[in-house]
Amino acid sequence: MPAPKRSERPRRIRIAKPAPVLDNGRYAVKRTVGDTVAVSADVFRDGHEKIKAVVKYKAPGGRRWLETEMRAVDAHVSGVRWAAEFTVETPGTWQWTVEAWTDRWATWHDELRRKVAADLDEDLTSELSEGVIFLKRALEKAKDEAKSSIEYAIGVLESDAEIHQKFDVALGPELFQAMEEAQEREGAASLEKPIVVEVDRVRARFSAWYELFPRSWGGFKAVEAIVPDIADLGFDVLYLLPFHPIGVNKRKGRNNSLVAGPDDPGSPYAIGGKEGGHFAVHPELGTEQDVRDLCATAHKHGMDVALDIALNASADHPWLTEHPEWFQQRPDGTLKYAENPPKRYQDIYNFNWDSEDWQSLWEAWRDVFLHWVDVGIKCYRVDNPHTKPFAFWEYIIKEVHKVDRDVVFLSEAFTRRAVMRELAKLGFTQGYTYFTWKNSRHEMLEYFNELAWGEEKEYFRPNFFPVTPDILHAYLVHGGPPAFVTRLVLAGTLSPSYGIYSGYEHFENVPVREGSEEYLNSEKYEIKDRKLDGPLLPMMRRLNEIRHENVALQHLSNVFWLDAQNDQIFAYAKQEPGNTIITVTNLDPHNQQSGLVTIPALLGLPPVFVVEDQFTGNHYDWRIGQNYVELNPHVVGKQFHLFKVL
């Protein structure tokens, strides 16, 4: 058989199974500024020659590749897994690859060392002459101290010096280091294409959101006035429900009734009126300039403003007459309103994403997003993104990030896991989760293990909301204030990002009827008289302080589950270097529960250590092994423990 016709000699090194990588590189894994990217890959070749490998990485817009040496991490097992890490320091798209080559000097060095050590009384003149050839090749690229070391070694090896002197120089650490720096990377191989890491600002990973309806607080100016107080509570994001004009045609009344009264404000999700559509603000709330002022004030207090953006229209939206081809029309000419049985939204129309004019539709929405970014919006909570094309979101997020890379996209997609994962992969910064419906110890362990330890940890950033304006779980309905306390603590300590809807601090938990997740007298259909005076606010403030003070609560995949011999006691530790937080909660909102919480030795804590309750200030002696706890849901200070190891 004739030799294969190639322009260059085939590579003898193989690089396989690089990590972290998502869907063979189709999507990017995610990190935030300051994170370390731990890289690994199988690196090997035929034969017994030694190899060397580096991870090469480049910052967004960087002109040159930086590199870090990789080390074999399983030399005693298979000897092919290599690893290294690098730190990402700026937002944007980072790239990395693995480069490996045959280390001729290390191979020669190792063989000579073993022969000399064996003392076989063998003539090693040929081996030394071979070493001189390697040295002279490297000399062409050597600089400074490395060049001096190589020149000196060549002189000794070609001289009449004693053989043991030649061995000392040839096997010396100075020469080895010089050759590692100067020798050619023979037969170098790399990954076929670089792997991408999307790096966001820290708020993409760690944040606390406070959600409100601007109309229930008196409009934009009134909301701007309370920004300092919301910031003082420790919230990072002020999340506004839609503030656009609301349609009159088919407007909903209180409790989602089909007939609205003369004073009913309608649902803010029925967007569009004579005043305009998604580019406009409701005149009763203020002006676009008021939104700018609100965003600027929030920024001064270290907060971002988020807009709940709903991609649907009321019957009065101007696009219905300007672009009827963008909507779903039935054969009889009527429009199909939105519904998710048994929920029906007669006041809302969906867009036709299969429209022949889909490109213009996409561009119009791009302009909407960019308009509010220009006004000052830094975060979008996207309503029902799973009902729009995946490719649309990939387009929108990229277009917005071209203008402002710091914009955060929160996906409100309570749907199938595969769809939620896909939205996260294609660019959503954070995602709503099933947290609301996970209330037993078994359910939370199963689900949080998936988020924190499965592949999702590379790209899916959860944001835990105990409730939303239209999702009220039975656990809170029947558990009352103790249940609200428990879910607040779980949301704020399990996930680096969590959110609170402004009815939560008032323990609002009356459903429209038994078994429903809709609120009675829902704020979606009426205006409340809201003030920052809920009884849970002091606890929220302290919880947010604790989160900012303890880096262990700012990360996801650092949780250790603790056994308590009682399924109603849910305990876990979160740990970063120098910071260990232990959380112990009572999942039973009605009864006192006790148990023995086991601290495993793998946490690396002393046999006996002191913990401080971050809410009460009390100190306790804890130990490796079992520790007794007793939690009463009706006694303040004994409802849960949030310990810091001192």
Side-chain angles (χ1 to χ4, degrees):
M1 179 181 292
K5 295 181 179 179
R6 298 175 62 103
S7 59
E8 60 182 32
R9 188 171 64 248
R11 306 290 186 193
R12 299 185 68 177
I13 292 177
R14 295 290 186 265
I15 303 174
K17 299 180 180 178
V21 63
L22 191 59
D23 290 2
N24 294 319
R26 166 62 178 87
Y27 298 110
V29 298
K30 296 176 183 174
R31 295 294 186 271
T32 53
V33 171
D35 283 351
T36 295
V37 182
V39 169
S40 62
D42 286 353
V43 184
F44 55 94
R45 61 155 288 168
D46 57 278
H48 299 289
E49 285 78 4
K50 292 187 175 296
I51 57 178
K52 194 173 181 65
V54 294
V55 55
K56 303 177 72 171
Y57 57 97
K58 188 162 62 173
R63 294 184 178 181
R64 64 189 184 94
W65 291 88
L66 304 175
E67 63 181 43
T68 298
E69 184 176 355
M70 301 184 78
R71 299 292 185 183
V73 294
D74 63 349
H76 299 294
V77 183
S78 64
V80 301
R81 196 68 183 171
W82 294 59
E85 59 185 33
F86 62 92
T87 302
V88 288
E89 300 165 341
T90 55
T93 302
W94 287 66
Q95 300 178 72
W96 66 269
T97 187
V98 173
E99 182 174 279
W101 61 93
T102 300
D103 193 335
R104 289 297 180 189
W105 181 259
T107 303
W108 177 87
H109 183 280
D110 183 60
E111 290 178 356
L112 180 64
R113 178 190 58 79
R114 288 188 282 119
K115 288 179 179 181
V116 171
D119 193 19
L120 298 176
D121 194 25
E122 181 181 356
D123 183 2
L124 300 178
T125 304
S126 295
E127 281 79 355
L128 292 176
S129 63
E130 184 182 20
V132 171
I133 294 175
F134 293 146
L135 291 170
K136 289 182 176 179
R137 289 177 183 170
L139 188 60
E140 298 176 5
K141 293 185 177 181
K143 297 179 180 178
D144 303 327
E145 292 184 9
K147 184 174 183 179
S148 298
S149 296
I150 294 172
E151 287 176 335
Y152 173 75
I154 293 172
V156 172
L157 295 184
E158 290 186 332
S159 73
D160 295 330
E162 295 291 332
I163 191 68
H164 67 66
Q165 292 179 321
K166 294 184 178 182
F167 290 155
D168 288 344
V169 171
L171 299 176
E174 296 86 359
L175 181 59
F176 189 88
Q177 181 60 39
M179 287 296 289
E180 289 293 280
E181 296 175 7
Q183 70 174 323
E184 180 184 355
R185 295 185 173 183
E186 181 180 330
S190 301
L191 297 174
E192 289 187 7
K193 61 179 182 178
I195 295 172
V196 172
V197 180
E198 286 294 338
V199 178
D200 299 296
R201 58 188 175 126
V202 173
R203 188 153 291 173
R205 164 174 51 81
F206 173 65
S207 56
W209 295 47
Y210 188 80
E211 175 183 6
L212 58 79
F213 286 78
R215 67 190 188 185
S216 292
W217 297 77
F220 298 133
K221 284 301 182 185
V223 173
E224 182 183 356
I226 62 168
V227 163
D229 297 320
I230 296 176
D232 184 61
L233 288 169
F235 288 99
D236 309 295
V237 179
L238 174 59
Y239 161 16
L240 307 179
L241 276 292
F243 50 57
H244 311 292
I246 297 172
V248 175
N249 188 11
K250 298 185 179 179
R251 174 176 289 188
K252 291 291 190 74
R254 294 186 63 188
N255 290 311
N256 200 24
S257 63
L258 293 177
V259 179
D263 297 324
D264 286 333
S267 167
Y269 291 95
I271 296 169
K274 62 182 180 180
E275 305 88 353
H278 285 80
F279 289 100
V281 299
H282 199 301
E284 293 181 8
L285 301 177
T287 66
E288 182 179 297
Q289 184 59 48
D290 293 334
V291 180
R292 289 184 183 273
D293 295 342
L294 170 57
C295 292
T297 298
H299 180 72
K300 290 178 183 178
H301 287 83
M303 297 182 69
D304 290 330
V305 175
L307 169 60
D308 185 348
I309 190 162
L311 281 67
N312 44 243
S314 76
D316 299 322
H317 198 292
W319 282 351
L320 279 166
T321 54
E322 295 170 6
H323 297 281
E325 69 278 6
W326 289 354
F327 295 88
Q328 294 177 323
Q329 296 188 19
R330 290 190 172 95
D332 61 1
T334 60
L335 292 178
K336 182 180 181 181
Y337 60 75
E339 57 182 325
N340 182 19
K343 296 181 179 180
R344 306 175 76 189
Y345 307 100
Q346 293 88 343
D347 55 340
I348 294 173
Y349 295 111
N350 289 325
F351 287 84
N352 178 15
W353 298 100
D354 294 317
S355 167
E356 294 295 327
D357 193 29
W358 63 271
Q359 290 175 307
S360 296
L361 176 60
W362 287 25
E363 290 168 356
W365 280 113
R366 176 203 59 196
D367 294 344
V368 169
F369 278 89
L370 291 178
H371 173 79
W372 294 110
V373 168
D374 178 71
V375 170
I377 295 298
K378 298 293 286 188
C379 305
Y380 282 109
R381 180 272 196 188
V382 180
D383 189 63
N384 288 322
H386 55 289
T387 60
K388 288 78 181 174
F390 293 127
F392 168 77
W393 290 120
E394 198 163 17
Y395 163 77
I396 288 292
I397 294 170
K398 286 181 179 179
E399 289 294 301
V400 171
H401 281 170
K402 287 178 184 177
V403 175
D404 188 343
R405 187 59 183 76
D406 285 344
V407 175
V408 168
F409 286 83
L410 171 59
S411 165
E412 187 259 359
F414 299 112
T415 182
R416 294 162 291 174
R417 269 183 169 87
V419 176
M420 295 166 71
R421 292 168 182 153
E422 186 71 9
L423 290 167
K425 289 177 182 179
L426 58 81
F428 273 92
T429 321
Q430 299 180 1
Y432 276 40
T433 70
Y434 300 150
F435 170 70
T436 302
W437 297 275
K438 305 297 182 181
N439 292 275
S440 72
R441 183 177 187 275
H442 171 75
E443 289 172 334
M444 285 189 284
L445 283 176
E446 179 183 49
Y447 185 49
F448 203 77
N449 276 334
E450 175 188 316
L451 295 175
W453 300 113
E455 186 188 51
E456 289 179 42
K457 70 180 182 180
E458 302 289 0
Y459 64 91
F460 189 98
R461 299 192 187 105
N463 193 325
F464 282 4
F465 274 74
V467 300
T468 73
D470 54 2
I471 299 177
L472 171 65
H473 194 273
Y475 181 83
L476 298 173
V477 172
H478 300 293
F484 279 73
V485 169
T486 296
R487 298 300 287 179
L488 172 63
V489 172
L490 291 173
T493 58
L494 277 174
S495 176
S497 291
Y498 84 106
I500 293 299
Y501 160 52
S502 57
Y504 194 88
E505 65 261 30
H506 296 279
F507 306 122
E508 293 179 1
N509 70 336
V510 181
V512 68
R513 58 184 175 278
E514 182 62 31
S516 173
E517 291 188 341
E518 290 276 359
Y519 290 83
L520 179 66
N521 301 326
S522 169
E523 195 171 1
K524 290 190 300 180
Y525 306 105
E526 62 182 75
I527 297 175
K528 304 285 188 182
D529 183 15
R530 295 290 195 196
K531 294 181 177 63
L532 278 176
D533 58 1
L536 258 185
L537 289 179
M539 181 175 288
M540 291 180 184
R541 173 186 283 107
R542 182 58 188 141
L543 177 62
N544 288 333
E545 288 175 350
I546 296 167
R547 283 164 46 86
H548 280 275
E549 293 166 359
N550 294 277
V551 67
L553 297 178
Q554 299 172 18
H555 294 271
L556 179 68
S557 299
N558 60 351
V559 65
F560 300 86
W561 309 118
L562 307 178
D563 182 54
Q565 299 182 346
N566 180 344
D567 281 347
Q568 294 299 327
I569 299 291
F570 188 44
Y572 46 92
K574 299 196 88 176
Q575 192 173 59
E576 290 293 316
N579 186 221
T580 301
I581 299 295
I582 299 170
T583 306
V584 187
T585 59
N586 179 3
L587 301 182
D588 182 352
H590 306 290
N591 304 295
Q592 177 175 293
Q593 297 287 342
S594 61
L596 295 171
V597 176
T598 300
I599 301 296
L602 63 85
L603 288 180
L605 300 175
V608 178
F609 53 92
V610 177
V611 296
E612 180 183 69
D613 191 304
Q614 297 297 283
F615 277 87
T616 66
N618 294 332
H619 291 73
Y620 304 92
D621 290 331
W622 271 43
R623 66 190 67 248
I624 300 297
Q626 295 180 330
N627 302 268
Y628 180 75
V629 295
E630 185 177 275
L631 299 177
N632 190 324
H634 306 293
V635 179
V636 175
K638 294 186 177 180
Q639 296 167 300
F640 61 91
H641 290 309
L642 188 52
F643 291 142
K644 179 178 181 178
V645 176
L646 299 183

